[in-house]
Amino acid sequence: MSANELIRSSAAVMAAKLAAGEVTSVELVQAHLDRIAAVDGGDRGVHAFLHVNTEEALAVAADVDARRAAGEELHELAGVPIAVKDLIVTKGQPTTAGSKFLEGWMSPYDATVIKKLRAARMPILGKTNLDEFAMGSSTEHSAYGPTRNPWDLDRIPGGSGGGSAAAVAAFEAPLALGTDTGGSIRQPGAVTGTVGVKPTYGAVSRYGAIAMASSLDQIGPVSRTVLDSALLQEVIGGHDPFDSTSLSDPSTGLAAAARLGNVEGMKIGIIKELHGEGYQSGVETRFNESLELLRGAGAEIIEISCPNFGYALGAYYLIMPSEASSNLAKFDGVRFGMRTLPTEGSITIERVMSATRAAGFGDEVKRRIILGTYALSAGYYDAYYGSAQKVRTLIQRDFAAAFAQVDVLISPTTPTTAFKLGEKIDDPLSMYLNDVATIPANLAGVPGLTLPGGLADEDGLPVGIQLLAPAREDARLYRVGAVLESLLEAQWGGPLLDRAPALAQNSAKEAN
Amino acid sequence: MSVDTILSFEEAMEKYDPVLGFEVHVELNTKTKMFSSAPNEFGDAPNTNVNEVCLGLPGVLPVVNKKAVESSILIGLALNCKIAEHCTFARKQYFYPDTPKNFQTSQYEDPICYDGWLDIELEDGTIFRVEIERAHMEEDAGKLTHMGGATGRIQGADFSLVDYNRSGVPLVEIVTKPIEGAGSRAPELAKAYVAAVREIVKNLGVSDAKMERGNVRCDANVSLRPYGQEKFGTRTETKNVNSLRAVENAVKFEIQRHGAVLDSGVKIIQETRHWHEDTKSTTSGRPKSDADDYRYFPEPDLVPIVTTSEWVEELRSRLPEPPAARRKRLQADWGYTDLEFRDVVNAALLDEIEETVTAGASAAAARKWWMGEIARRAKLADVDPAALGVSPAVVVEIEKLIASGAINDKLARKVLDGVLEGEGTPSEIVAKRGLAVVSDDAPLQKAIDEALAAQPDVAAKIRAGKIQAVGAIVGGVMKATRGQADAGRVRELILATLGVEG
Amino acid sequence: MAAINREDVAHLAQLAHIEMSDDELDRMANELAVIVDAVKSVSEAAGDDVPATSHPIPLTNVMREDVVGHVLTAEEALSGAPDAQDGRFKVPAILEES
Ligand SMILES: [Mg+2]
Ligand SMILES: [Zn+2]
């Protein structure tokens, strides 16, 4: 198998080849490093990575190869490389959160998910680009420049986890970690034709993920296949005593669910409020096609109404900035990160903090901090933050009523396909509308998965299909997702990403 | 810094009725911090008792210390509070460099303990009930050292250095309801209240309770109103009052200062004041720009605490006897006079005397030794009597030796010296130093015969019936036997030798 | 609910410790007015009888035993600090010179 074929395999296939001795981890990691070197840099590069972890990744790979040669029992994914969203702290590599504030900052500790990757001996290829502090839906708010969508380099890869999704879509990594506060795993997955999962809130430890909105944030897998996400969630999931909101449930049975291969007799609910008006016609067409396939496979499709979902976006844009304004208060230029002195007047710590935060934060971050400060300030709390928390209850009730009738819910992941870079950068509100279908899951804590549903007829760009399950029923997402994926791929004659245009090679030769 | 004019305390009290309120912060002596497993240790090198949580580094999350929760409940129970069945944490937001996250994780709407009271005994025995509004859990901040200024003060400093070792140490903040009716005894009550809280948390074993280390810190609120007026006046909150005497003085000073301000027709500004031990006065604190709007909201990284009645009752069963009740019981048991008992309390020897009595000494003997010889030697050595190195068992053993006639009081003091010199147990010392009372008559008779021979005129007087003169012979004998003779027996033998009826 | 204006933003920026130029304040006020307008329906969505949800998955009594865990060395603690001295974090004066 050529390196080019190798990097286009799924993580599960890579793992099998490693286990069978058909390829070494060093070869596998090197092939990905070559691919990154070929397509990521330059003016028209994908720019999925903010940091490439060459030495450590190769060292871990060599260690895995040696252990395998010595007959040591290894984790199933040992030696399979992975990319990590740069919101997650890592020892030995800089963590920037896409912000100038943290340029060059080296964390003295590892996030829990990173400890788990290390325990499974998965080489970390590097840190991926994101909207600053994960605030955005296009990765254009990164202080280090935008990531490009491998399907069309003039379009956004989604956000905030555009780097992770693009890296996987561009075959720079088979797997990546993302974080999802309002759709930051699923929306990039949808617009790049990849798979992404926001697990049940608490299923994966948040310890070491730089917090945006604590009650909404969740780390999850990014991959090219449903099974690969299931395998990765099994690695990173499970209880963590360092996260008080971590669930005690084990993260097992997910890959098995993905391998189950049937949906017969399952009830699947279409959320009335999350399609139709406001959704691009090509998105609707592909969505309806998926419904037909599931129906054909023996699932019962039922229309469900979630009447309070109309308030979800508003509630989200009060809760998220409120929590974010508080979580980002620690960025003050005292203990870590940058420090900027005021250009005039006295140098007091208060003025230095204000100057530092003014210089270190980008516009979108400032906007959300000010909005959140407003929503929490005296006299406004009840009307804003308090009301939003009540809406959250209503949305949970909508989900509870829906899941009393169906096993999973289904909707398009995003209302449109990828838009052009720069198109919405000056219109925060229209940017926010991208997350209308993904936000309810975060508010209610339920798991959500996106998988590629085909290409929209009008622009030839990927459309995402979102599945939602009750809290702690992540396995259902993998079960239904894998079935739909195989039905769609049978129809397409292969993975959707086979239809993505070849990327221009940055260096003289692509990895042979 | 302008110096405030103040009224005399008497004049202020003539015109105005003081209302007090206290916020006492108690540092718990848990092994680890409130929300992280870093050690809760005082006095180590800067920034060595921290992990990423205490520094508020990006990505960290808090986890509640169960022991700290239980200690908080114990404090609440000792303050006669109700314990919340369900309570949450909240973020109190303000920027300050000693606060690593720029918010303090605290409790807001639903404190773990609420609606309590504490009876405070004033010096003359008057009981004053202070109502407790709440006691809530929170975390301490780091420590700032101000550099470049003349006195290490914040004013005039060029820069400050931050040590986060204290960051995250568990705190319980105890807040009183407004205290009315203390009148001119307000300063005394203030001191007695803080002393009582300190004694309670120490007695519970939940805090080291050392005010000089900041384990117990008091913010004192004072307002004045004209007599007969129901509405409270505007209050000031004096921070940094870190000794019992300072609490008393700060309340007194603020009453005097408020009085002068009100007399001049000016309104009191609601503000934070800082107490200065050197000048025995308060100055206006810098108004924090965000102090008026802390933007409290429920801490999303922590989940609620639910207290079952089983849990609370199990904790209640661990409560020691309240200090005031214990004092009452011990005084009755021991039969000390009020004066004797107060001296024992002031000498902080209640525990030692109780142990000594429990170990078998009489209450009178225990008091005699601890308040007498042991206290005297401690004073010479400049240590607390309890720290001198005399155990209750030693006192009991010495008392037994006296009772059996093996030693007398004078010898017992020498035995005590031996104990302090590390020569062993009292019995061992009696043997080693040969301190036992000489009870064999033969050597005594020899010494008596010699003494009578040396003082024939005295012997004649005694024979003539002047029995009081026997003392001179006894003294000679005692001298000759280096005090080891039983003086009573010596006297008998002298009279017998001279054939005189005693 | 009142619309958000420039003075509000100036006050909020002060609370949030973010220095802002006059231009920035104007721009931010305009943007926030639009956003606040878009989210205000939330305040009418739920009645008094609806409880607030602050945690999506309700858990209680998640606590840690009082056992000492890992610490950073002072060197590690200070490794990311913009300024340090004598093993401590160094910050500019807290008060204005007076
Ligand atoms: Mg207070
Ligand atoms: Zn406090």
Side-chain angles (χ1 to χ4, degrees):
Chain A
M1 183 180 261
S2 70
N4 192 35
E5 285 168 315
L6 185 62
I7 59 171
R8 297 175 76 95
S9 327
S10 70
V13 167
M14 291 177 194
K17 287 184 184 301
L18 286 170
E22 291 171 34
V23 65
T24 66
S25 180
V26 168
E27 288 165 349
L28 189 59
V29 167
Q30 189 60 56
H32 284 100
L33 293 170
D34 291 345
R35 174 70 174 176
I36 293 167
V39 304
D40 208 60
D43 287 350
R44 301 280 295 167
V46 175
H47 194 223
F49 283 85
L50 293 177
H51 175 81
V52 181
N53 190 33
T54 307
E55 260 174 55
E56 189 192 81
L58 286 169
V60 171
D63 179 55
V64 168
D65 291 339
R67 286 169 187 274
R68 202 183 300 276
E72 192 174 313
E73 182 124 12
L74 295 167
H75 187 280
E76 188 178 357
L77 291 180
V80 177
I82 185 167
V84 173
K85 188 181 186 180
D86 203 21
L87 194 67
I88 299 170
V89 305
T90 47
K91 275 177 153 173
Q93 296 183 66
T95 301
T96 69
S99 179
K100 217 158 73 177
F101 198 105
L102 286 182
E103 190 164 6
W105 179 66
M106 300 292 285
S107 170
Y109 78 104
D110 269 333
T112 296
V113 291
I114 299 299
K115 285 187 179 158
K116 293 191 175 205
L117 295 184
R118 295 197 202 281
R121 304 188 191 286
M122 297 175 69
I124 298 171
L125 292 167
K127 306 294 286 287
T128 59
N129 200 10
L130 67 158
D131 286 296
E132 185 178 3
F133 291 109
M135 296 182 179
S137 306
S138 68
T139 316
E140 293 167 291
H141 294 303
S142 168
Y144 304 98
T147 296
R148 297 171 181 277
N149 190 324
W151 288 82
D152 177 347
L153 295 172
D154 291 321
R155 290 183 187 262
I156 58 109
S160 63
S164 282
V168 168
F171 306 106
E172 296 173 83
L175 296 169
L177 292 183
T179 67
D180 190 313
T181 304
S184 285
I185 289 174
R186 290 163 290 158
Q187 183 256 5
V191 300
T192 58
T194 55
V195 175
V197 179
K198 183 204 89 73
T200 298
Y201 182 82
V204 178
S205 167
R206 292 183 292 119
Y207 195 76
I210 298 177
M212 169 159 62
S214 308
S215 73
L216 303 164
D217 295 345
Q218 191 56 192
I219 294 176
V222 173
S223 64
R224 289 188 293 266
T225 72
V226 172
L227 175 63
D228 283 0
S229 273
L231 290 168
L232 182 52
Q233 189 175 333
E234 288 187 353
V235 174
I236 60 174
H239 181 68
D240 178 16
F242 285 89
D243 177 355
S244 304
T245 61
S246 163
L247 300 176
S248 52
D249 315 34
S251 62
T252 51
L254 306 176
R259 288 178 174 125
L260 205 61
N262 86 75
V263 291
E264 218 168 307
M266 284 187 87
K267 289 183 180 163
I268 299 176
I270 312 166
I271 305 165
K272 201 175 100 189
E273 289 77 9
L274 293 186
H275 71 106
E277 204 197 327
Y279 285 72
Q280 192 178 318
S281 77
V283 170
E284 281 287 298
T285 310
R286 294 286 88 83
F287 175 60
N288 289 327
E289 214 168 76
S290 283
L291 296 178
E292 279 317 307
L293 289 172
L294 288 167
R295 199 175 275 131
E300 188 185 340
I301 310 289
I302 299 163
E303 190 175 66
I304 295 281
S305 175
C306 291
N308 293 296
F309 279 22
Y311 298 115
L313 195 70
Y316 177 78
Y317 276 93
L318 289 169
I319 293 168
M320 175 272 295
S322 295
E323 294 184 6
S325 70
S326 177
N327 285 328
L328 292 180
K330 63 171 67 166
F331 293 84
D332 62 0
V334 173
R335 291 158 301 281
F336 55 83
M338 64 183 274
R339 178 181 290 181
T340 304
L341 301 183
T343 47
E344 48 181 6
S346 62
I347 309 291
T348 63
I349 182 61
E350 187 145 17
R351 299 198 67 232
V352 171
M353 284 180 180
S354 300
T356 301
R357 289 162 64 78
F361 292 150
D363 284 347
E364 180 62 18
V365 174
K366 290 180 191 172
R367 207 176 279 135
R368 294 192 191 192
I369 290 175
I370 298 295
L371 182 58
T373 305
Y374 180 60
L376 290 178
S377 63
Y380 294 102
Y381 179 92
D382 288 340
Y384 289 139
Y385 190 77
S387 297
Q389 298 284 48
K390 288 182 173 185
V391 166
R392 214 164 166 165
T393 308
L394 298 179
I395 288 178
Q396 286 197 327
R397 288 178 184 172
D398 280 1
F399 271 118
F403 288 125
Q405 298 175 66
V406 298
D407 300 304
V408 295
L409 291 164
I410 191 165
S411 80
T413 310
T414 55
T416 68
T417 55
F419 48 89
K420 288 235 161 72
L421 285 163
E423 193 181 314
K424 299 188 177 179
I425 191 82
D426 294 322
D427 186 355
L429 206 58
S430 83
M431 188 76 91
Y432 297 169
L433 284 167
N434 277 286
D435 298 330
V436 69
T438 46
I439 278 170
N442 300 85
L443 289 171
V446 305
L449 173 150
T450 186
L451 76 160
L455 304 178
D457 295 327
E458 58 273 23
D459 54 20
L461 291 168
V463 169
I465 306 296
Q466 174 177 242
L467 298 167
L468 301 167
R472 299 179 149 111
E473 297 293 347
D474 306 41
R476 285 188 208 170
L477 300 177
Y478 290 112
R479 178 180 171 188
V480 178
V483 168
L484 180 56
E485 177 184 60
S486 71
L487 293 169
L488 285 163
E489 289 190 354
Q491 200 176 47
W492 303 328
L496 188 67
L497 279 166
D498 283 356
R499 299 205 237 161
L503 292 169
Q505 301 297 302
N506 200 22
S507 54
K509 61 174 181 67
E510 187 179 354
N512 46 357
Chain B
M1 207 180 299
S2 65
V3 179
D4 292 289
T5 46
I6 59 171
L7 296 185
S8 75
F9 185 68
E10 291 67 30
E11 193 180 354
M13 290 317 308
E14 256 167 49
K15 294 177 177 168
Y16 301 105
D17 174 21
V19 177
L20 307 179
F22 300 100
E23 289 161 33
V24 173
H25 284 86
V26 177
E27 273 186 348
L28 301 180
N29 59 3
T30 49
K31 290 192 184 71
T32 67
K33 297 190 177 176
M34 185 70 215
F35 302 116
S36 94
S37 60
N40 171 14
E41 281 291 348
F42 178 87
D44 289 343
N47 296 303
T48 55
N49 290 332
V50 295
N51 62 26
E52 62 271 16
V53 180
C54 321
L55 294 176
L57 293 188
V60 300
L61 297 171
V63 184
V64 171
N65 181 340
K66 185 177 183 188
K67 177 87 189 295
V69 174
E70 296 195 327
S71 296
S72 307
I73 295 174
L74 286 171
I75 289 175
L77 293 173
L79 296 174
N80 305 294
C81 286
K82 294 175 182 144
I83 307 303
E85 285 172 27
H86 180 279
C87 70
T88 60
F89 291 93
R91 294 184 182 178
K92 178 182 183 179
Q93 311 199 67
Y94 60 94
F95 283 79
Y96 211 66
D98 64 4
T99 303
K101 299 166 289 183
N102 286 321
F103 60 77
Q104 180 193 35
T105 306
S106 181
Q107 296 195 282
Y108 183 50
E109 279 179 340
D110 42 12
I112 188 154
C113 313
Y114 61 99
D115 278 357
W117 52 265
L118 190 58
D119 280 341
I120 305 300
E121 190 175 347
L122 299 179
E123 268 169 42
D124 66 353
T126 309
I127 303 288
F128 198 100
R129 178 160 291 195
V130 171
E131 308 272 349
I132 308 290
E133 167 101 28
R134 59 189 279 159
H136 68 252
M137 301 179 277
E138 57 185 31
E139 58 180 334
D140 212 340
K143 192 164 173 45
L144 282 164
T145 308
H146 306 296
M147 309 292 286
T151 57
R153 274 206 201 162
I154 189 168
Q155 292 87 358
D158 294 330
F159 61 94
S160 301
L161 297 175
V162 203
D163 167 15
Y164 290 103
N165 279 350
R166 198 179 63 185
S167 161
V169 167
L171 290 178
V172 174
E173 180 177 339
I174 302 162
V175 183
T176 65
K177 289 181 181 161
I179 302 166
E180 302 175 62
S184 61
R185 308 198 68 171
E188 184 196 345
L189 175 65
K191 178 184 172 186
Y193 169 72
V194 178
V197 170
R198 188 177 153 269
E199 186 177 37
I200 283 173
V201 299
K202 190 170 183 234
N203 187 45
L204 288 170
V206 299
S207 173
D208 293 345
K210 294 188 173 132
M211 287 190 83
E212 67 277 15
R213 283 193 181 180
N215 297 146
V216 175
R217 312 198 285 264
C218 174
D219 301 341
N221 291 275
V222 172
S223 70
L224 297 187
R225 60 184 173 189
Y227 283 102
Q229 177 184 305
E230 204 171 312
K231 195 169 166 280
F232 296 150
T234 304
R235 69 187 165 87
T236 55
E237 181 177 11
T238 305
K239 303 235 176 214
N240 195 28
V241 234
N242 291 336
S243 74
L244 294 178
R245 203 176 316 142
V247 173
E248 183 172 24
N249 289 336
V251 165
K252 190 172 174 208
F253 178 85
E254 276 298 283
I255 287 173
Q256 293 173 272
R257 189 183 68 82
H258 280 222
V261 172
L262 294 173
D263 264 12
S264 68
V266 178
K267 281 190 177 138
I268 293 287
I269 311 162
Q270 181 168 343
E271 63 176 353
T272 297
R273 308 279 300 180
H274 290 292
W275 172 250
H276 302 287
E277 194 59 54
D278 45 359
T279 56
K280 300 274 184 292
S281 62
T282 67
T283 56
S284 176
R286 182 185 71 114
K288 270 188 212 156
S289 63
D290 34 12
D292 56 334
D293 192 350
Y294 287 123
R295 288 160 287 133
Y296 279 101
F297 78 106
E299 167 57 90
D301 288 324
L302 291 172
V303 303
I305 291 181
V306 172
T307 61
T308 60
S309 57
E310 291 78 32
W311 189 19
V312 173
E313 290 317 308
E314 192 275 315
L315 289 168
R316 196 190 301 277
S317 73
R318 286 195 227 161
L319 284 180
E321 184 181 21
R326 173 175 174 238
R327 283 197 296 270
K328 211 163 276 172
R329 173 177 61 81
L330 291 179
Q331 189 184 349
D333 285 358
W334 297 344
Y336 294 179
T337 66
D338 287 352
L339 187 66
E340 286 169 344
F341 195 77
R342 193 189 303 157
D343 287 347
V344 167
V345 170
N346 289 342
L349 283 169
L350 220 45
D351 290 348
E352 284 68 27
I353 292 178
E354 189 184 22
E355 279 175 52
T356 307
V357 172
T358 306
S362 72
R367 192 179 73 81
K368 178 189 78 183
W369 282 102
W370 284 104
M371 297 299 291
E373 283 305 310
I374 299 174
R376 193 173 62 77
R377 283 169 168 76
K379 200 171 173 191
L380 286 174
D382 199 23
V383 295
D384 285 340
L388 190 66
V390 182
S391 71
V394 165
V395 177
V396 172
E397 196 180 339
I398 290 176
E399 268 302 305
K400 274 188 188 147
L401 290 169
I402 294 172
S404 71
I407 55 173
N408 55 25
D409 269 16
K410 192 177 166 204
L411 288 173
R413 290 196 280 276
K414 291 188 176 164
V415 171
L416 191 60
D417 291 335
V419 169
L420 291 174
E421 249 125 74
E423 292 169 22
T425 66
S427 305
E428 285 164 6
I429 291 161
V430 168
K432 268 191 232 165
R433 288 198 178 188
L435 294 176
V437 171
V438 177
S439 52
D440 184 351
D441 289 350
L444 279 186
Q445 192 60 55
K446 187 168 170 269
I448 288 165
D449 292 343
E450 282 167 12
L452 290 172
Q455 295 170 280
D457 46 334
V458 179
K461 273 186 195 166
I462 298 168
R463 271 195 207 95
K466 218 171 171 216
I467 293 179
Q468 317 75 300
V470 79
I473 305 295
V474 171
V477 174
M478 294 306 281
K479 199 173 176 186
T481 57
R482 301 198 325 279
Q484 268 166 272
D486 179 337
R489 181 69 187 145
V490 171
R491 191 172 184 277
E492 280 170 30
L493 288 175
I494 295 167
L495 295 178
T497 306
L498 298 175
V500 181
E501 291 279 313
Chain C
M1 244 166 284
I4 189 164
N5 61 36
R6 192 180 182 285
E7 283 65 45
D8 295 331
V9 176
H11 171 68
L12 295 168
Q14 201 193 344
L15 275 181
H17 283 59
I18 300 175
E19 195 178 272
M20 279 194 191
S21 67
D22 290 349
D23 283 357
E24 237 178 325
L25 290 174
D26 285 330
R27 189 156 42 82
M28 190 71 75
N30 287 331
E31 287 166 355
L32 290 186
V34 174
I35 297 169
V36 169
D37 192 55
V39 301
K40 70 179 179 202
S41 67
V42 167
S43 63
E44 288 122 40
D48 291 340
D49 55 328
V50 178
T53 294
S54 48
H55 291 90
I57 312 288
L59 299 175
T60 57
N61 289 1
V62 177
M63 290 180 275
R64 177 175 59 75
E65 294 303 322
D66 187 27
V67 176
V68 174
H70 73 288
V71 287
L72 298 173
T73 62
E75 205 168 48
E76 287 172 315
L78 293 160
S79 63
D83 200 3
Q85 182 178 310
D86 304 333
R88 288 174 286 180
F89 296 83
K90 185 175 176 184
V91 295
I94 291 171
L95 299 184
E96 300 266 353
E97 269 176 67
S98 51

